[in-house]
Amino acid sequence: MASKSKKNRTGNGKRRFKNPLTSLKESFKNYKFRFATGLIIVAFSFYLAVAFFSFFNSGYADRSKFDLPFVDLIKDTSIQVDNVTGKIGAWFADLMVNKWFGLASFSFVFLLFVTGFRLLGARILPLSKTLIHASIITIWVSVSMGFFFMETMEDKYLLLGGAHGFHVSDWLISTIGHIGTFILILISLVIYLTVNFEWFLIKFRKLIGKDLSTLKENDFVDTAMTVSDGEADNNEQNNAREADENISEPISSVKTEETDDEIQFDIKPAKKFEAPPLEHPDNELELKIEKAASEEIIHTGENKPQGDYDPTLDLSSYIMPSFDLLDDHKSGQSQVTEEELIYNKNKIVKTLEDYKIQIKSIKATVGPTVTLYEIVPMPGVRISKIKNLEDDIALSLAALGIRIIAPIPGEGTIGIEVPNSEPQVVSMKSIITSRKFQNTKFELPVALGKTISNETFVFDLTKAPHLLVAGATGQGKSVGLNAIITSLLYKKHPSQLKFVLVDPKKVELNIYSKIERHFLAKLPDEEEPIITDVQRVVNTLHSLTIEMEDRYDLLKKAHTRNIKEYNHKFIKRELNPEKGHHFLPYIIVIIDEFADLIMTAGKEVELPIARIAQLARAVGIHMIIATQRPSTNIITGVIKANFPTRIAFKVASMIDSRTILDSPGANQLIGRGDMLISQGSDLIRVQCAFVDTPEVEKVNDFIGQQRGYPTAMHLPEYVGETGTQEPGEVDLSKRDPMFEEAARVVVANQSGSTSLIQRRFSIGYNRAGRIIDQLEAAGVVGPFEGSKARQVLVSDELELERMFEMLR
């Protein structure tokens, strides 16, 4: 007991009392106390909400009771109120609605609800920001309601703006008049929305930029296509019914239907298909016509990554591009008619019969540009015999680009791909808004187009992990690159993804320079965001190898195997930023016209590309190279071995197709976005989504107008073999005028790098590099160490001043 009493007394024998606020703060450290308090606050917020709503109906009947003192009102049991929450609820409703802020008093209910859930452990909204915004909205709504419903003050039953709103608006009217008060209320609303919401400023600029006489209501509404559940169900039922129909029935009984999300390809007016007369039409063999069920399209926002650390907070106001920036490219209904399908079927059957080949069944699957006819031959028919009839079938159909798949993997049938007489345009909008793309869980989802069965084709670039794109001039290679970049821009935040764009032709990728401060990465000394000079390409590739090695060092320190595990640990705050750890964005290197680089730089380009392709997958660096010359001296064995995923647009010869895909087929494509995608042993035919240059410009403008990072992401510094790091070659008698000031900055920060000098003094990279060389020659900083900052050899400014005296 003696020891216990001593604890409660100070040294002079007086009893020590705890501060009540300190005791309350300590109580909140107890989870059970926080949970109980949060539960009470949430319950009270619901109680107040019910009291407010009941007050609108019962306030007039209860208004005579509110003149009594609160204590008397509560004590007297004979006093009854009509409010469903009783006298306390009625009193609080009258206090907050009539005597305080009117309808804006609901903000108190919202604040109590958020606070209570925070105490329960649910992080709905940041409490401090919510409090600030709720206060501003409360005052604005109160004053606005007081101004617009000034006449209700005479009744004194229900003040929509409360006493606060009435008195403030009355004072404003007497000071600046009705017109001035209305303008003040309107301007304050516009300023609030402009300061807090980036999208409002963008929409406001668009509104100002448009002719108000031609402004339409749907200019600010996303026009994502939707398919109702009922229509989707009807499509499925009709498709199942069509699959069971027999060709022995009259032709008029064969039904075809259009999928709602199909987009026409050609801008030319539709031509009616007229089937030439057949000598011996075959109406006995069954033809099953199948069309893929339409995919529902949705319009959902991007889900931000969950975790303790949110990398998107650096640009928390960033808004994903909206769907209305893309065009539909519609040109009418589908041009594939049942007459065309029956005609092609009869021609295929007759050609096979001419060569004594009998088939059991035939089925047609209609795609956007190609129809796949699947045939099952009779027993005893050799597959190679059908394969050799490729040219004969093409001649009988008078079609370009017949391709025979013998057999179709996993199907047990032989496929004959026949181009449609009127192909469709697969718009990028229909791909981006598809449910398959919107609901994908891929890290780097790339949406390229639609398969032969009208399904959206999406793959994960992290699983690719590098992509080789080849095709003849004008066959859709540049549109394919735009589709890849656009699909990634619609899915990823600037903090999660960076592009390194290499464009020797200087015109293909220059359109993406507007998003430099959001999505691009470059060397610190680069002025242009798009790399066009061959020597700078070499330096950039070597810089990427340095970045790759640095990332592997970070993964080694974090005991992780890949970038996904590393970022997960960093988000969970298991890695210390003071030890050099930071969130790693994915880096995608896109090289257009790879052949030009090989011709001019040769091994200088091929070796770092091969090294990156071999090792960089685990650290989130992926490469996409494109060329229009798929020859063996351009796409070498080293390149092919490290690029397992390949895309081939139409090429001129079978040799080029074998160079890209290791198999023929690309020479039989019909062009205009028709392509084959090789993923290991799989070969998939896809119609590339069409995204026009104006669409890409609109998407880039939308992103570029938003607040971005100060500069593009800087890759590690790299000095080539022609560069020198010998400080002895620097003449200190010709020091830069900023030499001493730069030395003080380096010593004060204890970090020496060219980019630091460049940022602090707003000078070019070359001048900043000369200053660093002079500091090295003077002994202020150490030698060049790759991507790491130089070591500072001077400990304080006193030692630095003595060094200046010696130099002077």
Side-chain angles (χ1 to χ4, degrees):
M1 294 296 293
S3 62
K4 185 176 180 180
S5 61
K6 288 180 181 179
K7 291 180 181 179
N8 294 329
R9 296 177 182 271
T10 58
N12 55 7
K14 293 183 179 179
R15 185 175 295 275
R16 180 176 57 192
F17 294 95
K18 290 186 177 181
N19 189 339
L21 294 177
T22 305
S23 301
L24 183 62
K25 185 178 180 180
E26 291 177 355
S27 298
F28 273 95
K29 294 180 180 180
N30 187 339
Y31 173 74
K32 294 181 179 179
F33 181 82
R34 291 201 310 271
F35 184 85
T37 306
L39 201 59
I40 293 172
I41 293 176
V42 171
F44 184 65
S45 67
F46 281 107
Y47 178 79
L48 277 184
V50 175
F52 287 179
F53 282 113
S54 181
F55 178 76
F56 295 131
N57 294 325
S58 61
Y60 185 84
D62 296 336
R63 60 178 179 173
S64 60
K65 285 91 169 180
F66 300 138
D67 296 329
L68 298 174
F70 177 75
V71 177
D72 296 338
L73 178 65
I74 299 302
K75 287 172 59 178
D76 193 349
T77 58
S78 62
I79 300 176
Q80 299 294 327
V81 295
D82 292 342
N83 196 300
V84 296
T85 57
K87 291 185 285 186
I88 293 181
W91 185 84
F92 270 108
D94 178 71
L95 174 69
M96 293 184 178
V97 176
N98 269 356
K99 297 179 181 178
W100 284 5
F101 298 100
L103 291 179
S105 299
F106 277 95
S107 61
F108 291 99
V109 177
F110 179 74
L111 285 174
L112 288 172
F113 181 81
V114 172
T115 304
F117 263 82
R118 286 294 293 267
L119 291 175
L120 290 175
R123 294 181 176 271
I124 301 178
L125 293 170
L127 194 57
S128 57
K129 290 185 178 180
T130 304
L131 178 61
I132 295 173
H133 286 283
S135 301
I136 296 173
I137 293 173
T138 300
I139 295 174
W140 186 88
V141 172
S142 175
V143 174
S144 299
M145 292 292 100
F147 173 76
F148 290 110
F149 298 94
M150 180 69 69
E151 64 275 8
T152 61
M153 183 60 187
E154 299 176 0
D155 186 24
K156 296 185 180 181
Y157 149 57
L158 180 61
L159 301 182
L160 296 181
H164 166 268
F166 172 79
H167 292 300
V168 172
S169 58
D170 185 50
W171 175 78
L172 288 173
I173 291 172
S174 65
T175 306
I176 58 177
H178 285 82
I179 299 299
T181 305
F182 176 79
I183 293 175
L184 179 63
I185 291 173
L186 183 62
I187 292 300
S188 61
L189 175 62
V190 173
I191 292 174
Y192 173 80
L193 295 175
T194 303
V195 171
N196 293 284
F197 302 99
E198 289 279 349
W199 60 265
F200 179 81
L201 183 58
I202 295 172
K203 296 294 186 182
F204 191 73
R205 286 177 177 174
K206 288 184 179 180
L207 176 63
I208 295 177
K210 289 186 177 183
D211 184 4
L212 295 180
S213 63
T214 61
L215 190 64
K216 297 181 180 179
E217 182 181 355
N218 60 355
D219 282 343
F220 302 105
V221 180
D222 290 338
T223 57
M225 300 182 298
T226 58
V227 177
S228 65
D229 294 337
E231 292 174 347
D233 293 338
N234 291 336
N235 286 341
E236 293 178 359
Q237 295 172 3
N238 292 335
N239 288 334
R241 184 170 59 252
E242 290 170 359
D244 296 331
E245 286 182 343
N246 195 300
I247 198 64
S248 60
E249 297 177 7
I251 292 179
S252 59
S253 66
V254 180
K255 302 295 183 180
T256 59
E257 65 178 24
E258 305 305 328
T259 55
D260 291 337
D261 59 349
E262 291 180 356
I263 308 301
Q264 304 303 319
F265 188 86
D266 218 340
I267 300 177
K268 297 184 296 182
K271 297 180 181 179
K272 184 177 180 181
F273 177 80
E274 297 181 359
L278 295 176
E279 296 179 1
H280 303 287
D282 186 357
N283 292 327
E284 297 180 358
L285 190 65
E286 175 184 3
L287 173 64
K288 297 179 181 179
I289 303 174
E290 289 190 354
K291 304 197 76 175
S294 61
E295 296 183 14
E296 284 188 275
I297 50 181
I298 57 176
H299 188 211
T300 57
E302 175 75 8
N303 293 326
K304 294 185 178 180
Q306 300 296 323
D308 294 334
Y309 170 77
D310 188 356
T312 65
L313 290 179
D314 291 340
L315 292 179
S316 58
S317 60
Y318 177 79
I319 302 173
M320 293 290 178
S322 57
F323 298 152
D324 59 354
L325 299 174
L326 301 175
D327 298 331
D328 285 332
H329 297 292
K330 288 186 177 180
S331 58
Q333 299 298 320
S334 173
Q335 308 305 316
V336 182
T337 62
E338 66 181 74
E339 289 83 2
E340 180 178 353
L341 296 175
I342 299 301
Y343 171 77
N344 289 339
K345 166 254 179 183
N346 290 332
K347 274 292 187 180
I348 292 172
V349 172
K350 184 177 183 305
T351 303
L352 294 176
E353 285 181 347
D354 291 342
Y355 291 90
K356 311 303 181 185
I357 297 175
Q358 302 294 325
I359 60 176
K360 294 171 59 177
S361 64
I362 182 170
K363 181 177 68 174
T365 302
V366 182
T369 57
V370 174
T371 298
L372 174 65
Y373 294 87
E374 296 183 57
I375 63 174
V376 179
M378 287 290 187
V381 176
R382 298 179 60 181
I383 295 178
S384 59
K385 192 174 182 180
I386 299 177
K387 179 69 175 175
N388 293 333
L389 296 177
E390 195 170 64
D391 294 335
D392 298 279
I393 297 175
L395 178 63
S396 66
L397 294 175
L400 175 66
I402 295 293
R403 195 170 76 101
I404 294 182
I405 310 170
I408 297 177
E411 295 292 336
T413 58
I414 297 174
I416 303 176
E417 295 176 347
V418 180
N420 298 332
S421 59
E422 291 294 329
Q424 305 170 6
V425 166
V426 177
S427 69
M428 195 67 199
K429 183 174 183 177
S430 67
I431 302 300
I432 293 296
T433 57
S434 66
R435 185 172 297 277
K436 185 173 183 180
F437 179 74
Q438 289 294 325
N439 292 341
T440 181
K441 302 299 182 183
F442 293 156
E443 287 292 316
L444 293 176
V446 174
L448 279 178
K450 288 190 176 182
T451 64
I452 199 170
S453 57
N454 263 333
E455 295 179 357
T456 300
F457 182 80
V458 183
F459 71 95
D460 191 355
L461 187 58
T462 61
K463 300 294 190 298
H466 309 290
L467 191 60
L468 173 63
V469 183
T473 303
Q475 302 303 320
K477 178 166 48 58
S478 297
V479 175
L481 292 179
N482 287 334
I484 292 172
I485 298 175
T486 301
S487 61
L488 290 170
L489 293 179
Y490 267 87
K491 265 294 183 183
K492 306 305 289 185
H493 188 272
S495 64
Q496 301 168 337
L497 177 65
K498 300 295 178 184
F499 291 100
V500 176
L501 302 181
V502 178
D503 183 15
K505 290 190 291 188
K506 303 181 181 181
V507 294
E508 293 292 345
L509 301 178
N510 186 55
I511 191 172
Y512 295 101
S513 60
K514 299 176 183 178
I515 60 174
E516 173 186 359
R517 295 183 298 109
H518 299 82
F519 282 101
L520 298 191
K522 63 179 183 179
L523 289 173
D525 60 337
E526 291 286 350
E527 295 182 359
E528 296 295 329
I530 312 299
I531 306 168
T532 57
D533 183 71
V534 175
Q535 185 56 44
R536 295 189 181 276
V537 173
V538 175
N539 293 341
T540 300
L541 292 174
H542 284 290
S543 176
L544 286 168
T545 60
I546 298 174
E547 173 72 17
M548 176 184 69
E549 293 169 355
D550 291 344
R551 290 190 172 200
Y552 268 114
D553 290 338
L554 292 176
L555 263 62
K556 179 182 178 181
K557 294 178 183 177
H559 302 289
T560 55
R561 296 181 300 171
N562 53 55
I563 186 175
K564 187 175 181 180
E565 295 177 4
Y566 178 89
N567 283 339
H568 179 74
K569 274 193 171 184
F570 189 83
I571 287 175
K572 293 298 182 182
R573 302 190 184 276
E574 297 177 11
L575 302 176
N576 189 356
E578 295 181 358
K579 295 183 179 180
H581 293 291
H582 59 279
F583 185 83
L584 299 179
Y586 286 96
I587 298 178
I588 299 178
V589 185
I590 299 180
I591 302 177
D592 192 17
E593 201 43 65
F594 179 67
D596 185 69
L597 296 182
I598 291 294
M599 292 177 59
T600 54
K603 294 294 183 182
E604 290 185 83
V605 171
E606 184 179 354
L607 293 179
I609 286 179
R611 188 156 186 260
I612 292 172
Q614 289 170 348
L615 299 174
R617 170 184 182 178
V619 293
I621 301 177
H622 304 275
M623 298 199 71
I624 301 174
I625 61 176
T627 180
Q628 63 183 5
R629 293 180 54 194
S631 55
T632 53
N633 62 329
I634 302 299
I635 305 177
T636 62
V638 176
I639 296 297
K640 290 180 64 175
N642 293 289
F643 285 78
T645 303
R646 303 164 197 167
I647 295 177
F649 292 87
K650 183 177 176 59
V651 294
S653 64
M654 184 184 297
I655 297 176
D656 291 341
S657 177
R658 290 188 181 276
T659 304
I660 306 168
L661 303 174
D662 294 327
S663 64
N667 56 311
Q668 297 167 320
L669 299 175
I670 61 176
R672 301 184 69 182
D674 192 16
M675 62 184 178
L676 291 173
I677 299 176
S678 172
Q679 292 180 304
S681 60
D682 297 333
L683 199 63
I684 305 171
R685 190 167 185 173
V686 176
Q687 176 62 40
C688 182
F690 179 67
V691 53
D692 205 0
T693 302
E695 297 177 71
V696 180
E697 288 180 344
K698 287 190 288 185
V699 172
N700 289 331
D701 288 339
F702 182 87
I703 297 174
Q705 289 175 0
Q706 302 185 52
R707 184 175 66 88
Y709 296 102
T711 61
M713 175 184 170
H714 283 172
L715 298 173
E717 298 179 15
Y718 173 77
V719 178
E721 295 179 358
T722 56
T724 178
Q725 294 295 322
E726 294 296 331
E729 299 181 7
V730 178
D731 186 2
L732 291 178
S733 62
K734 299 179 180 179
R735 297 188 300 274
D736 191 277
M738 291 185 177
F739 173 80
E740 295 187 2
E741 192 173 355
R744 293 188 178 93
V745 170
V746 169
V747 173
N749 290 275
Q750 285 297 300
S751 174
S753 67
T754 305
S755 57
L756 174 65
I757 303 299
Q758 187 181 5
R759 291 194 305 270
R760 285 298 182 93
F761 299 103
S762 300
I763 58 178
Y765 181 79
N766 294 331
R767 184 180 179 185
R770 288 194 298 269
I771 294 176
I772 284 291
D773 291 340
Q774 293 171 3
L775 292 175
E776 180 184 353
V780 179
V781 297
F784 180 74
E785 299 181 9
S787 61
K788 298 180 181 179
R790 295 172 184 252
Q791 182 182 2
V792 181
L793 305 178
V794 179
S795 58
D796 53 31
E797 292 191 5
L798 183 61
E799 183 180 352
L800 183 64
E801 292 297 332
R802 288 199 295 267
M803 184 177 293
F804 289 160
E805 291 296 333
M806 294 174 61
L807 292 175
R808 293 167 186 161

